[in-house]
């Protein structure tokens, strides 16, 4: 048994450990940076960029209340003299989230494979498997957008708008944005049309 096997015994993780596991890295690979940075943590290999994105997404979700968490806060000083000010920030290495809450959040973002979903790893549908030789990113984007948004009970916007919003938030994962992060709006609109189950348009009507 290796480190990942023992990680499955835990029912909660710190944000730094959770971010590592989301990208299929070992939590023991996480390091504290000597020079700070966006979050102060990094992984010293080719997966560092993925780790930083995953960790920042977790921090943002906890700050918004999208993931319930046992928050640990530290006060730091930001700004340049004489404009310095104290600011409370989450300590990602001590803030913890439960596995169940984390899985719920990941599913809402279209993630259903990897460490937190071992039951889906080996039998992933071919057209959603990035390693499949006929994998089509736009098709996977449309399917995952449909799965994420169709589970929402109270859509405040039209399904098309909700789908487009989800696709923009996850654009990089499906090649819907360039290297500078600029969205391919044409591709996003195409994917949202495929995933849109409401052909009449408009926001859903409130039951009377």
């Amino acid at each position: 048994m290796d480190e990942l096997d023992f990680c499955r015994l835990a029912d909660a993780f710190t944000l730094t450990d959770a971010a590592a596991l989301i990208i299929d890295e070992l939590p023991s690979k996480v390091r504290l940076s000597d020079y700070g940075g966006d979050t102060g943590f990094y992984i010293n290999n080719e997966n560092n960029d993925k780790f930083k994105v995953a960790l920042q997404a977790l921090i943002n979700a906890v700050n918004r209340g999208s993931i319930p968490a046992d928050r640990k806060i530290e006060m730091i000083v930001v700004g340049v003299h004489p404009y310095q000010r104290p600011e409370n920030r989450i300590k990602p290495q001590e803030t913890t989230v439960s596995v169940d809450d984390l899985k719920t959040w990941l599913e809402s973002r279209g993630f259903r494979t990897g460490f937190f979903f071992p039951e889906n790893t080996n039998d992933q549908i071919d057209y959603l498997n990035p390693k499949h030789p006929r994998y089509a990113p736009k098709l996977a984007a449309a399917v995952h957008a449909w799965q994420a948004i169709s589970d929402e009970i109270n859509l405040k916007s039209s399904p098309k708008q909700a789908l487009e919003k989800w696709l923009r938030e996850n654009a990089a994962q499906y090649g819907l944005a360039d290297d500078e992060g600029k969205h391919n709006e044409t591709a996003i609109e195409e994917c949202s049309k495929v995933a849109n189950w409401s052909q009449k348009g408009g926001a859903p009507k409130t039951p009377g």
Side-chain angles (χ1 to χ4, degrees):
M1 298 179 73
D2 59 19
E3 180 180 341
L4 288 179
D5 292 320
F6 286 104
C7 283
R8 299 194 190 283
L9 297 174
D11 58 7
F13 290 100
T14 65
L15 299 188
T16 48
D17 287 353
L21 291 169
I22 286 172
I23 66 167
D24 292 323
E25 267 289 0
L26 299 175
S28 60
K29 295 288 187 68
V30 177
R31 299 287 183 267
L32 176 62
S33 172
D34 294 330
Y35 54 85
D38 295 338
T39 64
F41 294 88
Y42 71 100
I43 290 179
N44 190 26
N45 61 32
E46 68 278 3
N47 288 325
N48 186 49
D49 287 344
K50 294 179 182 179
F51 170 75
K52 290 194 297 183
V53 171
L55 179 55
Q56 191 61 60
L58 287 169
I59 292 172
N60 293 342
V62 169
N63 282 330
R64 290 195 306 269
S66 300
I67 307 177
D70 181 8
R71 293 159 52 101
K72 302 300 181 184
I73 303 295
E74 63 180 339
M75 189 183 75
I76 65 172
V77 177
V78 297
V80 180
H81 182 78
Y83 304 104
Q84 291 179 326
R85 68 183 190 282
E87 181 177 295
N88 290 327
R89 288 190 181 178
I90 284 178
K91 299 177 73 172
Q93 75 278 26
E94 295 182 20
T95 295
T96 57
V97 294
S98 76
V99 170
D100 288 341
D101 288 333
L102 186 57
K103 289 177 67 174
T104 297
W105 178 75
L106 286 168
E107 287 182 317
S108 76
R109 313 313 296 166
F111 284 78
R112 292 177 173 80
T113 60
F115 172 84
F116 291 102
F117 303 94
E119 66 277 9
N120 296 338
T121 301
N122 295 325
D123 59 351
Q124 186 176 9
I125 300 173
D126 286 344
Y127 58 81
L128 297 181
N129 184 358
K131 296 181 180 180
H132 194 280
R134 297 198 303 274
Y135 175 72
K138 290 181 182 178
L139 173 60
V143 172
H144 282 145
W146 181 90
Q147 289 175 327
I149 302 303
S150 61
D151 289 340
E152 297 289 339
I153 297 175
N154 296 314
L155 289 172
K156 295 181 180 180
S157 59
S158 70
K160 183 174 183 294
Q161 291 172 326
L163 290 163
E164 288 178 347
K165 181 176 183 293
W166 186 94
L167 288 163
R168 290 190 184 97
E169 292 174 347
N170 297 273
Q173 183 181 350
Y174 302 100
L176 303 178
D178 61 21
D179 293 339
E180 297 179 353
K182 183 178 180 181
H183 294 150
N184 183 336
E185 293 295 338
T186 300
I188 288 173
E189 183 176 2
E190 291 173 349
C191 291
S192 69
K193 286 181 179 179
V194 171
N196 187 5
W197 63 90
S198 177
Q199 301 302 314
K200 294 182 180 179
K205 295 181 175 58
T206 302

